[in-house]
């Protein structure tokens, strides 16, 4: 009896601690939209988390931008926004991660599905904007983010070093380069220097 009572109390405490760690809908919307270009923020769809940690749509949008609120279970702060043609790719990655697949397994499964046409990838390229900050620089109660860093990723499936003229690594500050060339996940990386 005492053991089950103790277990129940610990469960309730653990659940309430987790529930309190989810920022409010307003904070999630505010911080997710920080990653989007200013002219795309008002009409962007925003995904985030409910009070139980479930992944949900916080706001339906009216343009091509989709934004993701920071995952409260991941270290640091990370919000991102991407063109809606990337959503099948992103959603498949979330599904496979939820199934417990490794990063390599996720890559291999999506590669096979993209080659077969089961996974639809953007035809003309699509951009991902990633805003990050250290945990100490993010206040989940107010949504204040200090010293954020914004980088850019342009997905161009199947592109190569030869087809784009891009190097495989940057040789200067903010120089674009291609990562995962020749695959479904080929993308241009643009990492501006930090101030």
């Amino acid at each position: 009896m005492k053991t089950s009572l103790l277990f129940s109390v610990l469960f309730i405490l653990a659940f309430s601690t987790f529930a309190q760690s989810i920022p409010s809908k307003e904070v999630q919307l505010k911080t997710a939209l920080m990653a989007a270009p200013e002219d795309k923020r008002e009409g962007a769809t925003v995904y985030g988390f409910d009070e139980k940690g479930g992944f949900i749509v916080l706001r339906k949008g009216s343009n091509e931008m989709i934004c993701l609120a920071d995952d409260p279970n991941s270290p640091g702060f990370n919000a991102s926004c991407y063109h809606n043609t990337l959503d099948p790719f992103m959603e498949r990655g979330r599904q496979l991660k939820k199934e417990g697949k490794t990063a390599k397994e996720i890559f291999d499964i999506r590669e096979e599905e993209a080659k077969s046409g089961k996974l639809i990838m953007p035809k003309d390229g699509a951009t991902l904007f990633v805003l990050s900050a250290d945990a100490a620089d993010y206040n989940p109660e107010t949504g204040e983010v200090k010293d954020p860093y914004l980088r850019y990723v342009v997905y161009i499936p199947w592109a190569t070093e030869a087809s784009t003229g891009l190097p495989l690594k940057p040789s200067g500050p903010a120089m674009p380069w291609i990562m995962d060339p020749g695959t479904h996940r080929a993308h241009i990386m643009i990492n501006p220097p930090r101030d």
Side-chain angles (χ1 to χ4, degrees):
M1 173 83 171
K2 287 182 179 178
T3 304
S4 61
L5 180 61
L6 178 61
F7 177 76
S8 297
V9 169
L10 290 174
F11 178 79
I12 290 168
L13 286 173
F15 178 78
S16 64
T17 300
F18 179 76
Q20 290 174 358
S21 69
I22 306 292
S24 69
K25 177 181 176 181
E26 293 73 27
V27 165
Q28 290 184 70
L29 285 167
K30 173 185 172 181
T31 55
L33 292 169
M34 289 177 182
E38 286 187 29
D39 64 334
K40 303 291 184 185
R41 292 177 183 174
E42 188 176 318
T45 293
V46 181
Y47 292 121
F49 301 88
D50 64 20
E51 59 279 349
K52 294 179 183 174
F55 191 69
I56 60 168
V57 174
L58 294 174
R59 183 182 86 182
K60 282 276 194 192
S62 57
N63 66 21
E64 72 283 358
M65 193 61 56
I66 295 174
C67 296
L68 304 179
D70 175 63
D71 182 347
N73 293 315
S74 294
F77 172 81
N78 192 313
S80 59
C81 297
Y82 56 83
H83 193 271
N84 60 12
T85 55
L86 277 169
D87 205 36
F89 168 77
M90 297 294 188
E91 177 58 28
R92 187 65 175 132
R94 288 190 290 268
Q95 289 170 352
L96 293 169
K97 185 176 180 182
K98 193 174 183 180
E99 291 173 15
K101 304 291 186 199
T102 66
K104 180 170 180 2
E105 289 172 324
I106 292 170
F107 180 93
D108 291 344
I109 291 168
R110 289 195 294 194
E111 176 83 355
E112 182 181 314
E113 290 178 353
K115 284 180 177 175
S116 73
K118 182 179 177 182
L119 176 62
I120 305 301
M121 295 298 293
K123 291 184 176 132
D124 300 318
T127 305
L128 165 70
F129 304 87
V130 182
L131 185 74
S132 58
D134 293 334
D137 291 329
Y138 171 52
N139 183 332
E141 291 180 12
T142 65
E144 182 183 5
V145 181
K146 296 177 186 172
D147 196 27
Y149 177 71
L150 184 62
R151 64 184 170 87
Y152 315 93
V153 180
V154 181
Y155 284 86
I156 46 172
W158 319 116
T160 65
E161 181 181 14
S163 72
T164 62
L166 290 166
L168 296 178
K169 61 182 181 178
S171 60
M175 181 179 188
W177 56 287
I178 189 166
M179 189 172 183
D180 297 325
T183 71
H184 75 288
R185 206 177 80 159
H187 56 280
I188 301 167
M189 295 289 297
I190 304 169
N191 298 317
R194 284 188 172 267
D195 293 337

